[in-house]
Amino acid sequence: MIRNMNVELSIVSPVYNEAEGLAEFVRRIHAVVTPLGVGWELVLVNDGSRDVSLQVATELAAAYLNVRIVSFSRNFGHEAASTAGLRYARGKAVVLIDSDLQDPPEVIPQMVAKWREGFQIVYGVRSKRHEETGLKRATSWLFYRLMRRLAKIDLPRDTGDFRLMDRRVVDAFNSLPERSRFVRGLICWTGFRAVGVEFVRAPRFAGKTKYNYAKLVRLAIDSLTGFTTAPLKLATWLGMLIGFAALAWIVVVLFQFFFWKTPNGEPYRPAGFTFIAIAVLLLGGAQIFLIGLVGEYLARTYEQVQGRPLYIVDSLVGFADTKAVGGANGGLLPGSE
Ligand code: UDP
Ligand code: MG
């Protein structure tokens, strides 16, 4: 087999300090993908491992001709590694899979079958969670709910990054210019026909997780702020609410001033602090509202800077002579260069 053969299927896998399990991972990928009888490649992205992962990977690339390596100068993180892998992958379909054998390679043929049926995204759905605490489950529940509610993006529950993507999806993903990349969310954002395949997530083959709670919180904040500007606009509403409350209070006080009488028949005089309280509320409301206004402009600027295409064209009918063109940025889509 030569390296530049026609690649139908690419397997992309980020590697960070996985020396112990890497050989087993490649062996299992090989055992599962070879029987499919298609040209394939395995792109290992070494994310600046501090152990001997790179040596192990290099030996594996010598032993198996379809293994290729992209090696980072330092640790840039899982999302960056996945992004790089998707860029270097050449297949008509690309599978993203962890290299710690938590995502069983045996699911790949099922994913390929779904892809051949015409689905463009086939994501792995964990049917059982091994070794996960109640806290991790609760936080993940909250996260998916927030994403759905605030970010208006329907991330499928219980899915990780383990998924197959059609070339069109990968090209659309590669065309997104933004820097902070929540891979799962962005792929979901591209749309396309998606379907899930159930699998049981295995415990790690070797070593331990490289994610801790701090990293998970970082990822959650990144993904929320990447997909919604709602927090920036919060102040607009809060300011308006407080301002209106102050105005309503003024009306009440005026009414009391002119129409109320004390029990002994004298005109009612509101306590002095009332005016101070109203002034504070009115000014506070106006300030918060103006901050919100700044937030609205910031949100627009932010969305503009993210530079996502306004839309993604999947197919055209009756435009044989025209190439698909992306949205605001124009020409972001495959075949448009
Ligand atoms: N990984 C990476 N860079 C990092 C952390 C992790 O490339 O900074 C890789 C890691 O080798 C594994 C995958 O990303 O293949 C998932 O990481 P991990 O298993 O630690 O996360 P978990 O499965 O616990 O969510
Ligand atoms: Mg893992």
Side-chain angles (χ1 to χ4, degrees), residues 14 16 18 47 75 98-100 102 201 204 209-211:
Y16 180 57
E18 304 283 3
D47 184 13
N75 181 251
D98 285 356
S99 54
D100 59 2
Q102 282 199 280
R201 190 158 161 92
R204 258 178 166 276
T209 177
K210 276 87 197 177
Y211 268 97

